[in-house]
C-alpha cells in the first residue's frame, strides 16, 4: 500500500538550495523540474524533495516547512479509505500537481505527512 517516499523541504530559492544540497553537501541531484521541484539523492534510499515556498505553503525554516511524503502503489482513494478506517484524519482537499495525486494528514504529534500517487 505505501512504498517509499521523501522528505519535502520548502525552500525560498531553488537554485540556491540545489547548489547547497549538491555542491556544498555533496549529495546527488536525481531529478529537477525547473523551479518547481528537485529530488536530491541523500543515499541509502533517502530522498529529499525541494519545493518552492509559495502562497499557502509553510515559510521555509518554520514549523511545517519539512513534510514527509509517502508514495502509494495503488489508487490513492483506496489507501485513504483504509487509513481513515484506522483512524487517520485527512485535511484539506485532495490535490493534483504535476501528474501526482496528493492527500494530506498529520501524525499524532501534528507533523505534516502526505500520500502521493503518481500518474498511471
Amino acid at each position: 500500500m505505501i512504498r517509499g517516499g521523501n522528505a519535502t523541504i520548502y525552500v525560498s530559492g531553488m537554485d540556491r538550495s540545489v547548489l547547497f544540497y549538491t555542491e556544498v553537501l555533496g549529495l546527488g541531484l536525481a531529478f529537477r523540474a525547473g523551479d518547481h521541484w528537485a529530488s536530491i539523492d541523500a543515499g541509502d534510499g533517502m530522498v529529499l524533495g525541494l519545493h518552492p515556498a509559495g502562497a499557502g505553503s509553510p515559510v521555509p525554516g518554520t514549523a511545517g516547512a519539512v513534510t514527509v511524503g509517502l508514495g502509494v502503489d495503488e489508487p490513492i482513494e483506496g489507501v485513504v479509505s483504509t487509513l481513515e478506517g484506522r483512524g487517520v484524519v485527512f485535511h484539506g482537499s485532495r490535490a493534483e500537481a504535476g501528474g501526482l495525486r496528493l492527500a494530506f494528514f498529520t501524525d499524532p504529534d501534528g507533523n505534516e505527512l502526505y500520500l502521493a500517487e503518481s500518474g498511471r
Side-chain angles (χ1 to χ4, degrees), residues 27 31 81 85 98:
L27 303 175
F31 173 79
S81 179

Short mmCIF file of all heavy atoms in Angstrom, two decimals, residues 27 31 81 85 98:
data_model
loop_
_atom_site.label_atom_id
_atom_site.label_comp_id
_atom_site.label_asym_id
_atom_site.label_seq_id
_atom_site.Cartn_x
_atom_site.Cartn_y
_atom_site.Cartn_z
N LEU A 27 25.62 15.82 -2.17
CA LEU A 27 24.58 14.85 -2.49
C LEU A 27 24.26 14.89 -3.98
O LEU A 27 24.59 15.86 -4.66
CB LEU A 27 23.32 15.13 -1.66
CG LEU A 27 23.54 15.14 -0.13
CD1 LEU A 27 22.27 15.53 0.59
CD2 LEU A 27 24.05 13.79 0.34
N PHE A 31 16.73 14.44 -9.92
CA PHE A 31 15.74 14.95 -10.86
C PHE A 31 15.47 16.41 -10.55
O PHE A 31 15.46 16.80 -9.39
CB PHE A 31 14.43 14.15 -10.74
CG PHE A 31 13.30 14.70 -11.55
CD1 PHE A 31 13.22 14.46 -12.91
CD2 PHE A 31 12.30 15.44 -10.95
CE1 PHE A 31 12.17 14.96 -13.66
CE2 PHE A 31 11.25 15.95 -11.69
CZ PHE A 31 11.18 15.69 -13.05
N SER A 81 -9.08 5.55 2.18
CA SER A 81 -10.18 4.85 2.84
C SER A 81 -9.66 3.87 3.90
O SER A 81 -10.19 3.83 5.03
CB SER A 81 -11.02 4.12 1.80
OG SER A 81 -12.08 3.42 2.42
N GLY A 85 -10.14 4.28 7.99
CA GLY A 85 -10.68 3.19 8.79
C GLY A 85 -9.81 2.86 9.99
O GLY A 85 -10.28 2.27 10.97
N GLY A 98 1.36 18.24 -11.17
CA GLY A 98 2.43 17.63 -11.95
C GLY A 98 2.30 16.14 -12.14
O GLY A 98 3.29 15.43 -12.05
#
